[in-house]
Amino acid sequence: MLDQILAEDFEMTDNSGERFNKADELDWIKKNPTSYDSFYYEIKRMDIYDNGTAIVGGTGHIQTDTLKSIYQSSNILILRDGQWKAVLSHVSGFRNI
């Protein structure tokens, strides 16, 4: 599903300031299976513009048996050929709480 959502020109900047492209993200997901018990994304901002651009920002919540973590992310999506494609993502503030 992630392969369908990410545009071919997708780029992400992670919490440490490193930049990654779509191939990097898909490779990381394949090599790092999820180890958390639950995850949800709390949308705090979602704007959809007439020009086919959307901004989605919010807080990711990750929980295991012994640890809870949160992070903030901002995402830009573009409507291409009738499908929303993520083109840019920035993650920051990852911390255990």
Side-chain angles (χ1 to χ4, degrees):
M1 179 180 221
L2 187 61
D3 186 36
Q4 295 174 343
I5 294 169
L6 300 182
E8 293 304 316
D9 56 345
F10 173 80
E11 290 185 4
M12 182 187 91
T13 303
D14 72 5
N15 192 58
S16 65
E18 298 293 320
R19 294 181 66 153
F20 301 94
N21 62 28
K22 178 180 179 174
D24 296 329
E25 281 299 294
L26 294 176
D27 186 54
W28 191 90
I29 293 293
K30 287 177 188 174
K31 292 179 179 175
N32 297 279
T34 59
S35 60
Y36 49 81
D37 297 316
S38 71
F39 169 82
Y40 70 94
Y41 188 75
E42 179 183 2
I43 296 173
K44 300 211 174 171
R45 175 182 178 174
M46 183 164 68
D47 297 310
I48 301 172
Y49 298 96
D50 292 336
N51 66 356
T53 303
I55 297 172
V56 180
T59 304
H61 300 262
I62 303 167
Q63 180 133 13
T64 68
D65 283 340
T66 58
L67 189 63
K68 184 173 181 182
S69 305
I70 63 170
Y71 67 89
Q72 304 302 315
S73 74
S74 302
N75 306 280
I76 299 174
L77 295 91
I78 296 177
L79 188 60
R80 291 183 176 160
D81 299 321
Q83 296 183 340
W84 287 101
K85 298 288 184 174
V87 294
L88 189 64
S89 183
H90 183 262
V91 174
S92 63
F94 185 92
R95 61 188 167 97
N96 297 322
I97 55 172

